[in-house]
Each structure stands twice: as C-alpha cells, then as structure tokens.
Amino acid sequence: MLKEGDLLPTELLAMYNKLVTPDSSGKLNEAGFLKLYDEIDNLFEEDDDDDDDDDDDDNNKEENAVQQVAASEKSQMENMRVKEDLLSFLDIIQDSDDAEPCGLSAEESDQEQVLNILSILEKQTTNIIKQKDIVLSDLAGNWELLYTSSAGMKFNKGLSGIGGSFPNGRFGGLNQKLTFTKYVSDLEYKERIEVTPSSASFDVTVTGSWDLRTSVSLFTGLPTIIMYLEPDRVKYVLGSTRADHWKSLGPTNRMDLSYLDDDIRVMRGCTSTDTLLIYRKIS
C-alpha cells in the first residue's frame, strides 16, 4: 500500500504511534497490531464506500442527463408537430380550385382553427421571441406571405387593391423583402397581379422602410415587439405614386410580432389580435 501510494508513511506512523503503549518500548503488542490492522482495513473500506457513492453519483448524473436529453427531444418533437399542423392546415385551406391565395377566401371556422393552432405554437420553445431580444437581423430576408386574416386585405383583394380593380386582375401572392445596414432599413413588397391572359400579369412594387420598437400590448399589458412599416412609393404598370395615397396599405403597417423561428414569422394586429399575417422565409 505504501509502494502504490494508497497510504502515506506519515499516516501509517501516526496510526502506529497512537497505538503504542508506554511500556512497550515503542513496539506494538499483538492487540496493538490487530487494532492497527483493523484501522487500516476500515480506512480502505470507507474509501470503497466513498467510491461506491461516487459511482452512484455518476450513475445518477448519467441518468439525469439521459432524462434531460429525452425531455428535450420530446419537446422538440412537440414543437415540430405543432408547426407541421399549422402548415398542413394552411395547405388544406388552399387546396381547392376556387381558393384565393394566402387564405383570402378562408371561411370563419378555418380562421378560428388557425388561431387555435397559433395560440399553442406561440408558447413553444421554438419561439425565439421568448428567448432573446429581437433585432433587425433576426427578421432580415425575403419572406413569402402564406396566410392572412386581415379584413383590409380581404376587402381590397390583396395588399394594394389593384388586383380587385384591374380588369381581369386577381391577387396572386405577396413577398416581403427586409434589408438593413448600419444607417437604413429598407422594405420592399412584391405583389403579384395575375391577369388573363397570363402574359399580361405583372408585379406591384411597394418600397419604404421598416423598424422594430418595443411597446405594451393593449390586451395583455405585457411587453410586445411592434414592426413599423413606412411605405414610400408604389410602382406598377401604370406608373409610380407616393404610398401615402394608398389607404389599403395602412392596416398592415403596425403589427405585433408574436412568433418567430428560423423560417416562420407571425404578425398580429396591434388593435385586433385575430388579424394575422403568417410569413415563411424563402431566402
């Protein structure tokens, strides 16, 4: 034991001296030797117990780690399931020949179901709004509108209203491009107007700026992030005009950011939480 370093010479000497009797001339008698042996033996039995305790602690740590990983994987699966349910239901809404793009023709029952799914999705751990302060870089990119329940967009048959007023015109979809630099943040909408014949179809381009601001929800009293859009110009086949002449753009210029992950963004109306814009990031 001394050779292997399991017991130091000073430790052995201290134990030895403790057991030496005054009349033994510095030597151990049989009883003293047996006590020394027992003390050494007990010392290493305690170490073995400690090792067992350490092993138990290690096993418990491993079990806890496994449980945490399993719980995390289960949570991620649940998060993905809710998101997949939402996207699948949006596909169902659009799965008819007469369905208008982006849910403009969705029935009230379908709109309620979308709200129900979103109320669950917004609480999931995939919602980075609950994890960090949102900055412009989190939203920068090219986004495709998947769904809206905006009464204004339904009434105007799209964002600009041109789709419903142009002869043989029809709203064909909407992309929103958000970019920023140190000094400016630029907004660009591309609204597709489908016309018969298809060769006459065209885009309406809305340019402007955008920003994020923190506020307090009128409904919950909790902090919220508002996306501010400031359209500047509207360009289409008949020319270019100032955007402040287009009242149809107003309803979507102030929206609460309620959900955000790597490729899905959900906006809710500041004064009507049932008003939704659901975007998917495409680049």
Side-chain angles (χ1 to χ4, degrees):
M1 288 182 291
L2 292 173
K3 184 177 181 180
E4 284 81 10
D6 295 330
L7 183 65
L8 297 176
T10 54
E11 293 175 331
L12 178 59
L13 181 60
M15 296 169 65
Y16 184 96
N17 291 335
K18 184 176 65 174
L19 297 173
V20 171
T21 59
D23 58 348
S24 63
S25 302
K27 297 180 180 179
L28 290 178
N29 55 26
E30 182 178 357
F33 180 82
L34 291 175
K35 287 182 179 180
L36 176 63
Y37 178 84
D38 288 339
E39 286 200 14
I40 294 174
D41 189 52
N42 290 336
L43 177 65
F44 285 94
E45 284 182 357
E46 291 176 0
D47 284 347
D48 290 341
D49 291 341
D50 289 342
D51 290 341
D52 291 340
D53 291 340
D54 291 341
D55 291 341
D56 290 340
D57 290 341
D58 291 340
N59 290 335
N60 290 335
K61 290 179 180 179
E62 291 179 2
E63 290 178 2
N64 290 336
V66 170
Q67 292 175 357
Q68 290 176 359
V69 170
S72 176
E73 291 178 349
K74 181 179 179 181
S75 177
Q76 291 177 1
M77 291 177 62
E78 291 176 350
N79 294 337
M80 292 301 298
R81 188 179 300 116
V82 176
K83 182 176 176 178
E84 290 172 359
D85 287 346
L86 173 64
L87 296 177
S88 296
F89 190 72
L90 295 182
D91 286 339
I92 293 173
I93 292 176
Q94 297 299 131
D95 191 20
S96 65
D97 294 336
D98 58 347
E100 296 183 41
C102 305
L104 290 184
S105 58
E107 297 180 358
E108 185 175 344
S109 59
D110 291 335
Q111 295 179 41
E112 291 178 356
Q113 183 62 23
V114 172
L115 285 169
N116 291 336
I117 299 174
L118 275 181
S119 65
I120 300 174
L121 181 63
E122 289 167 344
K123 298 175 183 177
Q124 302 303 305
T125 56
T126 51
N127 190 356
I128 65 174
I129 295 173
K130 299 182 178 297
Q131 303 173 15
K132 62 187 288 288
D133 293 333
I134 303 301
V135 294
L136 297 180
S137 59
D138 293 319
L139 276 72
N142 197 5
W143 299 82
E144 173 191 17
L145 182 66
L146 296 181
Y147 171 86
T148 182
S149 60
S150 167
M153 288 191 66
K154 288 177 179 290
F155 177 80
N156 294 310
K157 303 296 182 181
L159 178 69
S160 66
I162 293 177
S165 60
F166 201 85
N168 297 320
R170 180 176 182 267
F171 173 71
L174 180 69
N175 283 5
Q176 183 190 68
K177 185 177 181 180
L178 304 173
T179 59
F180 76 100
T181 67
K182 182 178 180 180
Y183 304 102
V184 296
S185 51
D186 292 328
L187 158 73
E188 181 184 83
Y189 280 118
K190 285 286 186 181
E191 180 184 32
R192 187 63 176 170
I193 305 299
E194 296 179 351
V195 180
T196 303
S198 59
S199 58
S201 299
F202 60 93
D203 289 335
V204 177
T205 302
V206 180
T207 56
S209 61
W210 65 288
D211 195 10
L212 296 176
R213 303 176 191 176
T214 56
S215 184
V216 176
S217 171
L218 296 175
F219 301 95
T220 65
L222 298 175
T224 186
I225 302 169
I226 297 180
M227 186 174 183
Y228 279 77
L229 306 180
E230 295 290 345
D232 179 51
R233 303 291 300 181
V234 178
K235 303 175 184 178
Y236 65 114
V237 291
L238 297 182
S240 173
T241 63
R242 289 173 51 184
D244 56 6
H245 295 166
W246 294 77
K247 294 182 179 180
S248 61
L249 301 177
T252 60
N253 287 345
R254 305 287 186 275
M255 302 286 287
D256 285 342
L257 180 62
S258 67
Y259 179 86
L260 180 68
D261 64 23
D262 292 338
D263 60 353
I264 294 294
R265 170 165 54 96
V266 179
M267 314 296 298
R268 286 182 180 261
C270 294
T271 58
S272 173
T273 57
D274 290 349
T275 299
L276 300 173
L277 294 174
I278 302 177
Y279 286 94
R280 175 166 54 197
K281 194 172 188 179
I282 55 179
S283 64

